[in-house]
Amino acid sequence: MTGFPVHPAIIQPMDIDYVACKCPMFSFGRLKNSDPRLGVEMSSTGEVACFGVNVHEAFLKGMLAANFKLPKKNIVISLGPNSAKHEFVSTGAAKQLQEMGFSLFATKSTSDYLSKHGVSCSLVYKPTIKKEPNVLTLLQAGKMDMMINVPDSMDSNGMTDGFKMRRGAIEAGVPLITDIKTAIFTCAAIHRKWLRESSGKSFWDVCSWQEYVEIIERLN
């Protein structure tokens, strides 16, 4: 496009000192009454690519650049499929959140599963159950910093509790994760950041674009 000659570069990933991560951006907040869950045909409204010295840093940089806010205190969890509950516990994600000192809130079946496996959490009621503490009340009051809601395959009807919780998070501006793999990796990345900073080490590596380009030029 610019008329400059282009020279192909032969790059071996193992020779690169940095990792790149691309994160999609979505506009669920602008789409009234849409279900903020991703499907195979879901198209993003933009993407952000970020570099990091490791996959955890690159991932968190990408998430932050895509307007995701890292939780500070309270996280609400509602996992529909039993497989998602098992994976969230067996991978150590739940324990990582607990180790970092987050206050965990969970809906009935998720709370029962977490408690059974030694993860302390507080019970919160789903929207259609008119009891307190209720998920929607906590979201609307700004008391939740992040929601992990992994829906069942059929949970996309506007009348379901899952739909109401996801829409409640979007409308309250609370970061929402609806994929179990993303939830687990987010926990791992935040935990890595916490470990580094707890030991007095820096987690973020900030370099200019030129510094990253120099790495590629050095390999040519």
Side-chain angles (χ1 to χ4, degrees), residues 78-93:
S78 182
L79 308 175
N82 288 329
S83 58
K85 296 183 180 72
H86 172 74
E87 193 171 357
F88 193 69
V89 171
S90 63
T91 57

Side-chain angles (χ1 to χ4, degrees), residues 185-201:
F185 197 80
T186 300
C187 294
I190 295 175
H191 187 257
R192 174 68 174 268
K193 176 178 179 293
W194 176 78
L195 286 176
R196 292 278 301 177
E197 294 178 344
S198 296
S199 61
K201 300 176 182 178

Side-chain angles (χ1 to χ4, degrees), residues 1-218:
M1 293 176 64
T2 60
F4 289 98
V6 177
H7 303 288
I10 300 176
I11 302 171
Q12 296 297 329
M14 293 297 293
D15 295 331
I16 300 177
D17 297 331
Y18 295 90
V19 176
C21 180
K22 184 167 69 174
C23 295
M25 297 181 67
F26 299 93
S27 299
F28 291 120
R30 301 178 185 177
L31 304 175
K32 188 176 181 180
N33 295 326
S34 65
D35 191 351
R37 57 180 295 187
L38 306 182
V40 294
E41 298 179 354
M42 183 64 71
S43 298
S44 65
T45 56
E47 295 172 328
V48 179
C50 293
F51 291 97
V53 295
N54 54 60
V55 66
H56 297 101
E57 186 201 4
F59 175 78
L60 285 187
K61 280 183 177 178
M63 292 286 278
L64 290 172
N67 296 322
F68 186 89
K69 297 177 183 177
L70 297 183
K72 296 181 178 179
K73 184 179 180 182
N74 299 327
I75 298 174
V76 59
I77 306 170
S78 182
L79 308 175
N82 288 329
S83 58
K85 296 183 180 72
H86 172 74
E87 193 171 357
F88 193 69
V89 171
S90 63
T91 57
K95 288 287 189 179
Q96 287 175 336
L97 294 179
Q98 190 175 51
E99 182 183 352
M100 289 184 283
F102 286 107
S103 296
L104 304 183
F105 299 77
T107 52
K108 184 66 169 65
S109 62
T110 303
S111 175
D112 290 344
Y113 192 91
L114 293 178
S115 299
K116 179 180 177 182
H117 290 83
V119 179
S120 61
C121 60
S122 301
L123 173 67
V124 292
Y125 294 101
K126 293 183 177 181
T128 55
I129 301 176
K130 304 303 180 182
K131 291 183 178 180
E132 297 294 342
N134 192 281
V135 174
L136 288 186
T137 303
L138 294 174
L139 290 171
Q140 293 165 357
K143 294 183 178 180
M144 292 293 113
D145 298 324
M146 184 173 78
M147 169 178 274
I148 299 174
N149 175 251
V150 179
D152 288 308
S153 59
M154 301 301 291
D155 181 19
S156 59
N157 185 294
M159 297 303 292
T160 65
D161 281 312
F163 174 85
K164 292 178 180 179
M165 286 189 288
R166 292 189 292 276
R167 279 309 310 176
I170 293 297
E171 292 168 7
V174 175
L176 170 68
I177 297 176
T178 60
D179 175 74
I180 188 61
K181 301 293 186 185
T182 303
I184 291 170
F185 197 80
T186 300
C187 294
I190 295 175
H191 187 257
R192 174 68 174 268
K193 176 178 179 293
W194 176 78
L195 286 176
R196 292 278 301 177
E197 294 178 344
S198 296
S199 61
K201 300 176 182 178
S202 174
F203 175 78
W204 303 110
D205 181 71
V206 182
C207 296
S208 67
W209 170 253
Q210 287 75 15
E211 290 177 274
Y212 291 115
V213 173
E214 286 173 359
I215 296 171
I216 305 301
E217 294 177 343
R218 193 170 65 240

